């Protein structure tokens, strides 16, 4: 097939937004669509090669796989090798084990399946520290390269028209599946080849339309294609269902450029400029380099790297890409005597041996607990808080909207109790307090029952924006509220991330610690169809109002309420920053955050709670124990490796719970003493009558 400079220019349109998106430039919120453009280009080029060779009668499956190996593997293996020393020096054990698994998956052309199973989603902030996350798209392409030629060989015997019809039918089915998956299985939908195939096949159909050197020139259509690609780059964001019908926009844009943007059009002139072609030529290497460079910068840094640093690293990635293109890609792909490993047998056998070596390294990393021996003991001590999960978090913190629990669940009661008239309810913050609360209440011979659900306000009638938990909260807490009514429960302890569900944004401590959480907010279940936005003031107001009404409903029905105010959030993963500091040789492992950030974050909730007045309401303010008690105007995160108050960026560890639980226990004892006194007085009054 004839070389088209504008296709290399289109590659630059694909790769630049991807790099800037991963660097953290919010303006390029839809930069991830660059991968979809790459898929269309790959489908077009690969199919064009197959058609040309098939028409000449010299298509060879072995030669095809050889070319793919030369194109993909040498520089990929080189980047993997370059990652190893940085992983050894900087990664925490859990990160190292995950990285080792990803090495194995990359070498087996299955990293998309790994990240589907292991990641919290492509857009999860934790994914930014996965050096090989971007290889999911390489895996999809590799799976296409392995299967598509076989598909062509099988169907072509029935004629070209049958082949084109079959490709179109599979593409349509894949698109419809992607649309369905965007609603019903979002993470799998993003990574799996069956919902991405239509993008590659769209390029394949372009190749058939341009068979025999045909050219369709249209300034209007090709410019329209470029325009809608640019639109998707700047308009889409991580909340856009993807891939879905929305993906038709960048895919159609790439198709229009391929079909109608040949030489002589304005689009071709724009894409054929020297800088665009230059970036396009090194686009594969640039794509390979940028994610490891960014990920290791984030891993090494205690706080989120600045955009200035990420900009410098993006430029460094371009430099690395040029060098690897010049000295690795080109020598392996060139023809003639200068070609490295010139025969198919040599390149394929060398690739297989190298892959086996990396797989061996991967197995070593996974089988040795992430090479923990690399870390100093202080780092391991801090990380133990992260890895330690109180059994209560496993047994009494639910996450599937369970509605038929056999109350009381024995493991969620104080050991001495057969039942309890006091219950702790809420989200995972209640769960994080639950273990220490059960131990402390048991030691004081006070009954307690713990029931919590992840990512849920502790009341029925709400939904949350998190797709996983969206409709699980209401049935769970409807069941809890029914149990409270029928069991004669007297005291309800409430603990939740109150402000998160109102505000909806991850916590930013103002000192470089930004919580790795997607926007998560709540709204009333009867407003579900309104699809309120996170920043909608009306939504925030009604959620806060409903908090107060639900608390008053318990109080007015005769229950006692121990209201745990918002627990200070850290913003950064406290065990990890302590461990990273220890790995860097830093002796002072005391971390804290600004108290004024706590006040700004939680001011609206605190004011609403303060306005509730009722004799049966008892308040516990965690900020009284975390903030201004160890350091003035600061909220403590850790004192040393052995005293870490959080097990992540917002949940209190057992040490953190020990700061708050005594105040909760004191409130419950006060309630019990009052009830006992009232009962005595009632008995005495009865005796005198």
């Amino acid at each position: 097939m004839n070389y088209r400079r504008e296709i290399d220019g289109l590659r630059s349109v694909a790769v630049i937004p991807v790099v800037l998106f991963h660097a953290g430039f919010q303006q390029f919120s839809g930069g991830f669509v660059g991968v979809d453009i790459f898929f269309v280009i790959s489908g077009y080029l690969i199919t064009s090669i197959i058609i040309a060779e098939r028409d000449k009668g010299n298509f060879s499956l072995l030669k095809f796989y050889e070319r793919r190996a030369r194109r993909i593997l040498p520089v990929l293996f080189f980047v993997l090798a370059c990652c190893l020393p940085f992983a050894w020096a900087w990664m925490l054990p859990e990160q190292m084990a995950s990285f080792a698994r990803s090495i194995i998956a990359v070498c087996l052309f299955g990293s998309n399946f790994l990240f589907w199973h292991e990641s919290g989603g492509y857009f999860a902030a934790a994914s930014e520290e996965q050096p090989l996350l971007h290889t999911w798209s390489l895996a999809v392409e590799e799976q296409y390269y392995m299967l598509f030629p076989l598909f062509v060989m099988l169907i072509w015997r029935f004629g070209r028209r049958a082949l084109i019809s079959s490709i179109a039918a599979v593409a349509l089915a894949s698109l419809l599946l992607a649309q369905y998956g965007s609603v019903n299985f979002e993470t799998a939908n993003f990574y799996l080849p069956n919902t991405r195939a239509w993008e590659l096949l769209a390029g394949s159909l372009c190749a058939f339309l341009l068979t025999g050197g045909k050219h369709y020139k249209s300034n209007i259509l090709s410019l329209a294609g470029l325009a809608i690609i640019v639109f998707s780059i700047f308009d889409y964001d991580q909340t856009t269902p993807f891939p879905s019908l929305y993906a038709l926009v960048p895919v159609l844009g790439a198709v229009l450029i391929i079909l109608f943007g040949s030489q002589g059009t304005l689009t071709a002139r724009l894409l054929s400029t020297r800088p665009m072609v230059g970036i396009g030529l090194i686009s594969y290497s640039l794509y390979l380099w940028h994610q490891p460079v960014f990920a290791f910068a984030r891993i090494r840094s205690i706080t989120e790297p600045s955009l200035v640093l990420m900009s410098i690293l993006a430029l460094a990635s371009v430099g690395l890409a040029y060098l690897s293109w010049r000295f690795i890609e080109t020598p392996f792909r060139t023809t003639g005597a200068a070609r490295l490993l010139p025969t198919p047998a040599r390149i394929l056998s060398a690739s297989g041996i190298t892959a086996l070596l990396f797989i061996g390294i991967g197995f070593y990393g996974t089988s040795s607990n992430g090479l923990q021996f690399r870390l100093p003991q202080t780092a391991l001590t801090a990380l133990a808080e992260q890895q330690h999960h109180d059994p209560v978090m496993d047994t009494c913190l639910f996450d599937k909207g369970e509605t038929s629990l056999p109350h009381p669940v024995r493991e969620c009661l104080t050991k001495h109790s057969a039942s309890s008239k006091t219950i702790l309810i809420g989200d995972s913050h209640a769960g994080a307090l639950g273990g220490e609360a059960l131990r402390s209440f048991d030691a004081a011979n006070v009954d307690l029952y713990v029931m919590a659900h992840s990512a849920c306000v502790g009341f029925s009638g709400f939904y949350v924006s998190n797709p996983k938990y969206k409709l699980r909260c209401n049935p769970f807490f409807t069941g809890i509220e029914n149990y409270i009514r029928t069991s004669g429960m007297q005291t309800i302890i409430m603990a939740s991330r109150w402000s998160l569900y109102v505000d909806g944004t991850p916590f930013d401590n103002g000192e470089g610690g930004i919580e790795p959480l997607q926007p998560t907010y709540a709204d009333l279940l009867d407003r579900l169809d309104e699809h309120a936005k996170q920043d909608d003031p009306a939504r925030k107001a009604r959620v806060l109002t409903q908090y107060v009404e639900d608390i008053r409903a318990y109080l007015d029905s005769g229950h006692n309420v121990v209201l745990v105010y918002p627990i200070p959030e850290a913003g950064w993963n406290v065990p990890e920053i302590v461990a990273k500091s220890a790995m860097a040789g830093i002796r002072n492992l005391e971390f804290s955050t600004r108290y004024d950030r706590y006040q700004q974050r939680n001011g609206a909730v605190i004011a609403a709670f303060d306005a509730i007045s009722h004799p049966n309401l008892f308040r516990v303010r965690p900020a009284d124990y975390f903030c201004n008690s160890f350091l003035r105007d600061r909220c403590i995160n850790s004192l040393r490796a052995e005293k870490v108050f959080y097990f992540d960026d917002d949940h209190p560890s057992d040490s953190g719970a020990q700061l708050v639980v005594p105040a909760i226990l004191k409130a419950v004892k006060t309630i019990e003493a009052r009830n006992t006194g009232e009962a005595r007085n009632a008995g005495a009054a009865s005796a005198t009558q």
Side-chain angles (χ1 to χ4, degrees):
M1 60 177 292
N2 295 326
Y3 172 64
R4 294 179 59 180
R5 287 175 60 85
E6 68 274 12
I7 298 300
D8 275 328
L10 184 57
R11 282 194 173 110
S12 69
V13 173
V15 75
I16 291 172
V18 171
V19 172
L20 295 177
F21 171 74
H22 286 153
F25 286 89
Q26 295 182 358
Q27 299 89 335
F28 293 82
S29 58
F32 56 87
V33 304
V35 172
D36 305 85
I37 300 169
F38 273 130
F39 284 158
V40 178
I41 295 172
S42 293
Y44 164 66
L45 294 176
I46 293 304
T47 307
S48 296
I49 292 170
I50 293 174
I51 292 172
E53 294 185 351
R54 179 71 168 73
D55 288 344
K56 293 177 182 177
N58 62 355
F59 175 74
S60 165
L61 202 59
L62 179 62
K63 287 287 187 180
F64 175 84
Y65 290 140
E66 178 201 3
R67 284 195 299 267
R68 293 300 91 206
R70 290 186 181 279
R71 167 66 169 160
I72 295 171
L73 298 180
V75 67
L76 174 61
F77 288 148
F78 181 73
V79 171
L80 289 181
C82 290
C83 288
L84 295 177
F86 296 99
W88 177 278
W90 295 344
M91 278 186 159
L92 301 174
E94 187 174 329
Q95 292 171 328
M96 176 62 85
S98 176
F99 175 66
R101 289 191 295 272
S102 67
I103 288 177
I104 297 171
V106 167
C107 293
L108 295 176
F109 306 149
S111 59
N112 55 330
F113 291 100
L114 175 75
F115 293 123
W116 163 40
H117 283 290
E118 291 196 353
S119 77
Y122 179 77
F123 300 109
S127 297
E128 294 180 341
E129 295 185 358
Q130 290 273 12
L132 302 180
L133 176 70
H134 61 325
T135 62
W136 76 268
S137 65
L138 296 185
V140 170
E141 289 201 23
E142 288 157 352
Q143 290 151 20
Y144 167 78
Y145 297 152
M146 293 174 67
L147 297 177
F148 183 70
L150 299 176
F151 176 80
V152 171
M153 293 171 67
L154 177 65
I155 305 297
W156 203 319
R157 67 182 65 184
F158 300 105
R160 181 175 295 215
R161 179 173 297 180
L163 177 59
I164 295 172
S165 299
S166 298
I167 292 173
V170 173
L172 178 60
S174 173
L175 172 59
L176 294 176
L177 181 62
Q179 175 60 26
Y180 178 80
S182 68
V183 177
N184 294 283
F185 43 89
E186 295 181 12
T187 302
N189 188 57
F190 191 91
Y191 287 113
L192 295 187
N194 49 358
T195 55
R196 293 288 186 169
W198 68 274
E199 300 176 333
L200 290 146
L201 295 177
S204 297
L205 292 172
C206 289
F208 279 102
L209 290 172
L210 297 177
T211 300
K214 295 176 184 175
H215 294 287
Y216 304 98
K217 295 183 180 181
S218 172
N219 279 317
I220 293 176
L221 291 176
S222 58
L223 285 173
L226 186 59
I228 62 176
I229 287 174
V230 172
F231 166 80
S232 63
I233 290 169
F234 291 102
D235 183 74
Y236 288 5
D237 59 29
Q238 54 196 260
T239 66
T240 305
F242 218 85
S244 65
L245 295 178
Y246 283 97
L248 277 171
V249 175
V251 169
L252 178 60
V255 166
L256 289 175
I257 291 172
I258 291 171
L259 290 179
F260 300 102
S262 57
Q263 288 300 314
T265 62
L266 179 58
T267 301
R269 287 198 293 272
L270 290 172
L271 296 179
S272 298
T273 58
R274 190 169 182 178
M276 296 294 284
V277 173
I279 295 295
L281 287 171
I282 65 170
S283 60
Y284 175 58
S285 283
L286 179 55
Y287 185 78
L288 284 181
W289 278 112
H290 83 280
Q291 177 65 13
V293 169
F294 293 165
F296 281 116
R298 291 184 169 110
I299 289 168
R300 182 66 180 90
S301 177
I302 290 176
T303 61
E304 176 67 17
S306 69
L307 283 180
V308 173
L309 175 59
M310 298 305 282
S311 300
I312 293 171
L313 293 176
L315 292 175
S317 298
V318 174
L320 291 170
Y322 171 76
L323 293 174
S324 59
W325 171 78
R326 174 68 178 82
F327 296 106
I328 300 175
E329 281 194 70
T330 302
F332 275 97
R333 296 180 64 197
T334 189
T335 57
R339 170 181 279 194
L340 295 177
L341 302 176
T343 65
R346 289 184 181 182
I347 185 66
L348 294 175
S349 60
S351 297
I353 292 170
T354 306
L356 288 174
L357 288 174
F358 278 113
I359 289 171
I361 292 171
F363 275 116
Y364 177 59
T366 57
S367 63
S368 58
N369 297 317
L371 310 179
Q372 288 189 5
F373 59 83
R374 300 171 295 118
L375 276 65
Q377 185 57 48
T378 49
L380 294 175
T381 300
L383 290 174
E385 199 65 66
Q386 181 185 44
Q387 296 163 355
H388 167 70
H389 287 288
D390 197 290
V392 169
M393 294 287 284
D394 296 323
T395 55
C396 309
L397 176 63
F398 298 89
D399 67 356
K400 295 180 177 62
E402 291 83 350
T403 57
S404 57
L405 296 172
H407 294 296
V409 178
R410 173 65 259 181
E411 294 82 2
C412 303
L413 275 169
T414 38
K415 292 180 180 179
H416 70 273
S417 309
S419 62
S420 174
K421 298 300 181 183
T422 301
I423 187 171
L424 168 60
I425 63 172
D427 63 4
S428 54
H429 276 206
L433 297 174
E436 181 61 28
L438 286 174
R439 287 187 291 272
S440 296
F441 276 58
D442 202 54
N445 203 37
V446 178
D447 295 334
L448 180 65
Y449 186 40
V450 177
M451 281 283 111
H453 195 291
S454 294
C456 292
V457 180
F459 308 113
S460 63
F462 285 93
Y463 76 90
V464 293
S465 62
N466 185 315
K468 179 178 179 181
Y469 302 107
K470 191 167 191 173
L471 299 178
R472 296 181 180 181
C473 302
N474 182 65
F476 180 83
F477 281 103
T478 297
I480 296 300
E481 289 166 3
N482 289 336
Y483 175 67
I484 289 173
R485 282 193 296 269
T486 58
S487 64
M489 198 70 66
Q490 296 176 353
T491 300
I492 298 100
I493 306 166
M494 302 176 180
S496 280
R497 277 188 87 179
W498 306 107
S499 297
L500 171 67
Y501 304 119
V502 174
D503 184 70
T505 58
F507 179 63
D508 180 352
N509 65 23
E511 299 171 272
I514 303 174
E515 180 186 9
L517 178 75
Q518 298 305 313
T520 300
Y521 56 89
D523 200 0
L524 305 189
L525 191 61
D526 58 14
R527 300 291 190 113
L528 180 64
D529 293 336
E530 296 181 14
H531 304 291
K533 299 294 185 181
Q534 171 267 323
D535 57 355
D536 181 359
R539 179 198 62 79
K540 295 180 181 182
R542 62 176 171 261
V543 169
L544 198 55
T545 298
Q546 193 62 44
Y547 282 176
V548 174
E549 290 181 2
D550 286 341
I551 294 168
R552 287 190 182 278
Y554 276 121
L555 294 167
D556 293 342
S557 63
H559 293 93
N560 304 295
V561 171
V562 179
L563 182 57
V564 181
Y565 278 50
I567 296 170
E569 301 147 298
W572 42 44
N573 188 304
V574 181
E576 287 189 5
I577 63 169
V578 172
K580 286 181 179 181
S581 300
M583 290 172 70
I586 298 173
R587 293 182 176 275
N588 181 11
L589 301 179
E590 180 181 271
F591 286 90
S592 61
T593 51
R594 288 161 39 190
Y595 178 53
D596 66 328
R597 299 294 285 195
Y598 172 82
Q599 294 173 305
Q600 294 167 17
R601 169 77 157 181
N602 301 286
V605 168
I606 291 172
F609 287 177
D610 284 347
I612 304 173
S613 178
H614 198 285
N616 291 346
L617 177 63
F618 296 79
R619 309 173 200 272
V620 173
R621 303 175 187 268
D624 290 348
Y625 312 103
F626 280 88
C627 309
N628 298 310
S629 53
F630 294 88
L631 297 168
R632 184 176 180 180
D633 296 327
R634 308 285 296 180
C635 300
I636 197 68
N637 300 160
S638 67
L639 291 175
R640 54 189 181 275
E642 299 80 14
K643 206 69 172 177
V644 176
F645 295 109
Y646 296 81
F647 68 73
D648 57 11
D649 50 66
D650 66 274
H651 293 89
S653 63
D654 285 347
S655 295
Q658 288 165 10
L659 299 179
V660 181
V661 166
I664 298 174
L665 177 58
K666 181 180 178 181
V668 173
K669 283 184 173 181
T670 300
I671 293 169
E672 291 191 347
R674 186 185 68 177
N675 292 344
T676 301
E678 290 175 351
R680 286 200 190 109
N681 292 336
S686 174
T688 59
Q689 291 177 356

